[in-house]
Each structure stands twice: as C-alpha cells, then as structure tokens.
Amino acid sequence: MKNIIVGTDFSHGSYAALEVAIDIANNIGLDIELIWVRKTKELPSQEQMAELTRLAEQRLSELCKLHSPKLTKSKLSYKILSGKVANAISEEAKAQNTFLIAIGTNGASGFEKYWMGSTAVRIVQDSPCPVLTIREGYDVSQGMKRIVVPVRVDINSRQKVPHAAQIAKIFGAEIYILGLIANKGDESDILTYIKQIGIFLNKEGVKYTHTTRRYSNYCDTVLEYADEVKANNIVINTEQDRVISQLFLGTNAQQIVHKSQIPVLCLHPKDIVTLAK
C-alpha cells in the first residue's frame, strides 16, 4: 500500500511539510509516516544518543496525537531510523512503495539541522519517488491552487505534465504553463509543446493558462513568473547529471529547491509518464 513519508527534524519547515501532506492524504486516502533519522555518528556517547532518541520519540508521539484527528481517511504513524538521512529515507520509501516524500527546507530549529543545504538536495536526488519540498515560513493555508509547470525544448521537459495534472486534480488547481525560450529557434517548438500539453490537460479536465518567456537564467525566470502569478507550487524535473559514475542533481533543480519560497514538486525521469508527441 502506498503512503506519504514526511521527514522531520522538528523544525517549522518540517511541520509545514506535515500540514501539506495531511491535505494531500485527505484527498487521496493515503497513510502518512513521520520519520526522524538518528545520525549514529553525531554524538560521542551512547547515553547522549539514548537521550536524544527518547526526546525525538516523545516529540513524534506528540505530533501524531496532535495531527491524527486532522486525517479523515487514513492514519498517521511514526518511525525512527538510523544512518544517513537521505539514504535512510530513500530505503524506507522503497520498502513502503511510497507515493510522495514531503520535507521542509532551510528549517534549523535548534534541535537538529537535517534539512538545510545539501541534505534536502540529497533527499531529492536519492528518492525513489517524487519529493515535495516546503520552505520554512510558507503559509500552508494557501493550499495549492496555482501550479507552475516550466517547459523547455527538451525531450523530458513535458514528462512532468501528467504528475502536475494529478496534483491539480487533487487540489482543484489551475496549471500555469511557462514556455521557456532560450533562442529564436526554440519558439516554434515551444508553441507546439504548449499546444500538445493543452490537448492533454483538456482531456484530463484540468484548467490551465499559458505564456512564453525568453530566458538566460532558468531558475530566476521560473521563480519570477511564479511570484507574478502568485503560484503555490512549482513542478520540476530533477535533470540529473552523471559525473564520475555518480548521479548529481542538476544545477537548475538545486537552485529552485534552495531559492523557492513556495513548495516545489521534484520529479525524476523514472517517476513520470511520457506525454506522447
């Protein structure tokens, strides 16, 4: 049975991630599993580790008691794992056939600082399923009513559309297609892409609007447009690059995850369904 995993470090960002996960779970009837990862090399003594674990379990239990009544169709549970955060969450997601991982970003709370900086990127990079990143301070009461889907002249760019449509249906949202033009030769192809996406979204019954922009900086152009339309979510491909036999998250995806003030849904090529030409 698929579920939603919420990684927590007891920061405001991770609490926001839990609230958004509850909203999604209530719409599609999935259980939520809260996960805290015990980093076994962080503390010098077993006594300190035991105390930290006890405090974490206490907080996890309190979070479940507080938020379980908000779930209308499913349940909220928690689990404590050990090891490297990204690896532990990824392995749990594989074992649970997880639908989505939700994490807070830039969320230092004083308790721990798991999701700041490169850790959030590694979770996105290693995850076997889509990852939703939520910035600390994001107003979760906004819901997700306006979803930006940037599209470039790229073989994988349109593949994110079916997932975006699925999220749009869950929230009754409108999709804002942003056609990105790097040079004059892209313009005709982008307009064709937008037309094809429009046909698909019409069949799915998803409301949409579209525009095109010339760009030199992908991240800045996408974030500026999202701000203009007061978007509540951005859907991106992770654009992984292979370097020395390792997979690294592409620069554009990293920048958007780090800079975006609104939730970002990150999809790997293996997560997404091809939108046929």
Side-chain angles (χ1 to χ4, degrees):
M1 174 65 180
K2 289 181 178 289
N3 68 350
I4 297 171
I5 283 176
V6 179
T8 185
D9 60 348
F10 310 110
S11 66
H12 293 297
S14 64
Y15 295 156
L18 177 56
E19 292 283 1
V20 174
I22 289 171
D23 202 1
I24 296 172
N26 281 338
N27 278 278
I28 55 180
L30 295 182
D31 293 338
I32 297 175
E33 185 175 63
L34 268 174
I35 290 182
W36 177 77
V37 182
R38 177 174 50 212
K39 297 171 75 174
T40 53
K41 294 183 180 180
E42 285 288 300
L43 297 173
S45 72
Q46 287 296 109
E47 291 78 12
Q48 287 176 306
M49 180 57 71
E51 178 61 13
L52 183 63
T53 302
R54 186 190 67 79
L55 290 172
E57 186 158 15
Q58 179 181 323
R59 291 197 183 189
L60 288 166
S61 179
E62 290 170 353
L63 284 171
C64 286
K65 288 178 182 178
L66 177 64
H67 293 283
S68 287
K70 299 177 183 178
L71 286 165
T72 58
K73 304 175 183 178
S74 51
K75 64 181 181 179
L76 174 62
S77 61
Y78 71 83
K79 184 177 288 187
I80 294 176
L81 303 176
S82 297
K84 294 181 179 179
V85 176
N87 290 345
I89 290 178
S90 176
E91 289 303 313
E92 180 69 8
K94 288 177 185 176
Q96 296 293 335
N97 193 24
T98 293
F99 171 75
L100 177 75
I101 294 171
I103 57 170
T105 60
N106 204 31
S109 65
F111 189 88
E112 297 197 56
K113 300 181 179 180
Y114 283 172
W115 316 127
M116 293 186 69
S118 61
T119 303
V121 170
R122 286 198 298 272
I123 292 171
V124 173
Q125 175 181 298
D126 293 349
S127 170
C129 63
V131 178
L132 186 66
T133 64
I134 297 101
R135 171 77 59 174
E136 180 176 3
Y138 176 70
D139 180 7
V140 296
S141 67
Q142 296 179 51
M144 289 192 192
K145 296 300 181 184
R146 293 173 293 279
I147 300 172
V148 169
V149 179
V151 179
R152 296 185 294 174
V153 178
D154 178 87
I155 191 170
N156 295 319
S157 191
R158 290 165 293 173
Q159 292 180 345
K160 66 176 79 75
V161 174
H163 246 296
Q166 186 177 20
I167 296 297
K169 286 180 178 180
I170 290 172
F171 289 99
E174 180 175 1
I175 287 180
Y176 288 73
I177 305 165
L178 174 61
L180 292 165
I181 300 171
N183 53 64
K184 189 173 181 180
D186 289 347
E187 190 165 355
S188 177
D189 286 338
I190 280 294
L191 292 175
T192 299
Y193 283 14
I194 290 173
K195 182 178 179 180
Q196 293 168 346
I197 292 168
I199 291 170
F200 175 82
L201 293 177
N202 281 330
K203 287 181 179 178
E204 293 295 308
V206 175
K207 185 178 179 182
Y208 72 95
T209 188
H210 63 83
T211 190
T212 59
R213 293 280 172 92
R214 294 188 178 274
Y215 77 99
S216 57
N217 185 300
Y218 175 89
C219 176
D220 289 348
T221 303
V222 171
L223 294 181
E224 286 167 6
Y225 178 70
D227 186 58
E228 286 175 23
V229 301
K230 302 187 186 313
N232 312 115
N233 185 234
I234 301 170
V235 179
I236 63 170
N237 292 351
T238 55
E239 302 171 321
Q240 289 177 317
D241 301 316
R242 188 172 291 277
V243 181
I244 318 178
S245 300
Q246 297 289 330
L247 283 176
F248 292 92
L249 201 62
T251 302
N252 290 326
Q254 284 193 46
Q255 289 184 0
I256 288 181
V257 167
H258 282 312
K259 293 182 178 181
S260 178
Q261 298 301 309
I262 62 175
V264 179
L265 181 63
C266 306
L267 306 172
H268 298 308
K270 64 180 177 295
D271 299 327
I272 48 189
V273 181
T274 301
L275 181 63
K277 292 185 178 181

